[in-house]
Amino acid sequence: MNFYVLNSNEKVMARDNAISRRTALKVTGAAAATALVAGCSDDDDNGDDDNGDDDTAEYEAEPDDEIIFFAESDGWEGESPDDIDGEVNPTLILEEGESYTIGWEEGDGSSHNIEIRDDGGSVVDGHQTDEVDEPDGDDQMLEFEATEDMVEYVCAPHDNAMIGTIEVE
């Protein structure tokens, strides 16, 4: 054990096995590399890259299109038309004043509904269905005329994952 004299009456003990700064940096670097390889980095998996670009599919709907999803608690998975098949929560680009149908025919058995909301999170003009928890949701279709108030389609019980953007032009 080493002693250091601060003044004639005081002694301070130094640790024999103190971790050097270099060793601490090596250990920290190894832990950070392990976390990164294990997928524990702070990337947010929402499809945004460093430029803020989003890889969410966009679909320019034609007037009178019927947009069908599979209702899955992890997101609205596109079924029809073919342009959205397999896409999760695609952005729907609609034309103001035109008519569209949106909804789901089949689900994962969880409780689902579909709503069209404005930028304040309120349902637009009563465009919502009742919640059902059957895998078969034949009546879960909304027919509507696109208005500039419409900004998203949502499943109320799963509004953190089953939410897609609507852009009305």
Side-chain angles (χ1 to χ4, degrees), residues 53-148:
D53 296 332
D54 192 335
D55 63 358
T56 300
E58 291 186 347
Y59 173 64
E60 288 191 44
E62 295 294 322
D64 298 319
D65 266 1
E66 187 171 82
I67 302 162
I68 310 293
F69 295 105
F70 178 80
E72 185 167 55
S73 300
D74 293 335
W76 291 110
E77 184 177 330
E79 289 190 341
S80 176
D82 289 341
D83 290 349
I84 64 166
D85 187 28
E87 299 292 339
V88 177
N89 300 331
T91 297
L92 305 178
I93 302 171
L94 310 177
E95 199 173 319
E96 186 171 13
E98 296 296 334
S99 296
Y100 302 91
T101 301
I102 185 173
W104 60 284
E105 294 178 341
E106 189 177 357
D108 60 5
S110 296
S111 182
H112 298 293
N113 81 329
I114 189 163
E115 302 177 353
I116 298 176
R117 296 183 182 173
D118 63 19
D119 60 0
S122 298
V123 174
V124 175
D125 297 327
H127 294 301
Q128 70 185 63
T129 62
D130 293 331
E131 290 180 27
V132 295
D133 57 2
E134 300 295 322
D136 183 17
D138 332 278
D139 61 343
Q140 295 293 291
M141 303 301 284
L142 293 174
E143 293 180 32
F144 63 96
E145 186 176 296
T147 66
E148 63 184 12

